[in-house]
Amino acid sequence: KSKNNWPTNLDHSQLVISTTNGAVSDEVWLAFLYKVLQENDPEELAKIQQAFKGDSDTAVDGKVLSKKLLAERELSIVIAMREHYQRLLETDFEPIMVSEKDLLEHPNLDMIVKYNLFMRETFIGVLKHLNDFLNLAIGGQETMNNPKYDFDKNESSP
């Protein structure tokens, strides 16, 4: 594939989430836009891929189109992200229960448990960030203090 095909030009090292406040990078938003388009609107996905092919003028059109689609599909993208991180919490990073005997028998188990807890806390932070975003998008700023919709009710806790 061409280097200018979207989103294959995303730098994987930039697909990051904040471990302090749950914010997601612009590249994560683009990756989830791609996922949403791939699942729900392959024709629009083909348009944006075509916009990124070719000369530099077309690539500018691709950037404009991707910003437009990010704005239009904001809620779908956030919902897709929530589902992804919720699934990770429920499957790959569910709480690990270990006994003192387990820790003595398996010297690396303590490190694995700490890593799992760190990842859970990070993903819970992402879910909180996304829930705050949804509350603002659906109900306006006043919902931050008095949520109209409770998106936190399905959130796992460590």
Side-chain angles (χ1 to χ4, degrees), residues 37-98:
L37 292 175
Q38 191 174 40
E39 292 173 354
N40 302 311
D41 198 348
E43 292 159 3
E44 196 69 46
L45 179 59
K47 286 180 191 175
I48 196 167
Q49 287 174 323
Q50 185 61 40
F52 273 94
K53 287 183 180 176
D55 60 32
S56 59
D57 291 338
T58 309
V60 171
D61 292 340
K63 290 177 184 177
V64 170
L65 181 56
S66 64
K67 285 184 182 189
K68 176 181 171 256
L69 289 171
L70 280 167
E72 289 174 359
R73 311 261 178 156
E74 209 168 50
L75 290 177
S76 297
I77 296 166
V78 171
I79 290 167
M81 280 195 260
R82 278 191 85 251
E83 290 171 357
H84 174 75
Y85 290 108
Q86 187 66 43
R87 183 188 55 74
L88 285 174
L89 281 171
E90 293 170 358
T91 57
D92 298 355
F93 296 99
E94 62 184 333
I96 298 175
M97 303 302 279
V98 296

Side-chain angles (χ1 to χ4, degrees), residues 16-24 118-119 121-126:
V16 296
I17 56 178
S18 170
T19 59
T20 56
N21 67 5
V24 296
F118 172 76
M119 294 304 295
E121 289 171 354
T122 299
F123 293 153
I124 288 169
V126 170

Side-chain angles (χ1 to χ4, degrees), residues 29 74-75 78-79 82 126-155:
W29 280 89
E74 209 168 50
L75 290 177
V78 171
I79 290 167
R82 278 191 85 251
V126 170
L127 287 174
K128 181 183 178 329
H129 183 81
L130 295 172
N131 290 340
D132 289 347
F133 180 90
L134 282 171
N135 281 328
L136 282 170
I138 290 174
Q141 297 233 355
E142 67 277 2
T143 61
M144 289 302 290
N145 297 326
N146 187 13
K148 187 181 206 179
Y149 300 95
D150 185 12
F151 293 104
D152 295 321
K153 67 181 174 191
N154 293 325
E155 190 170 307

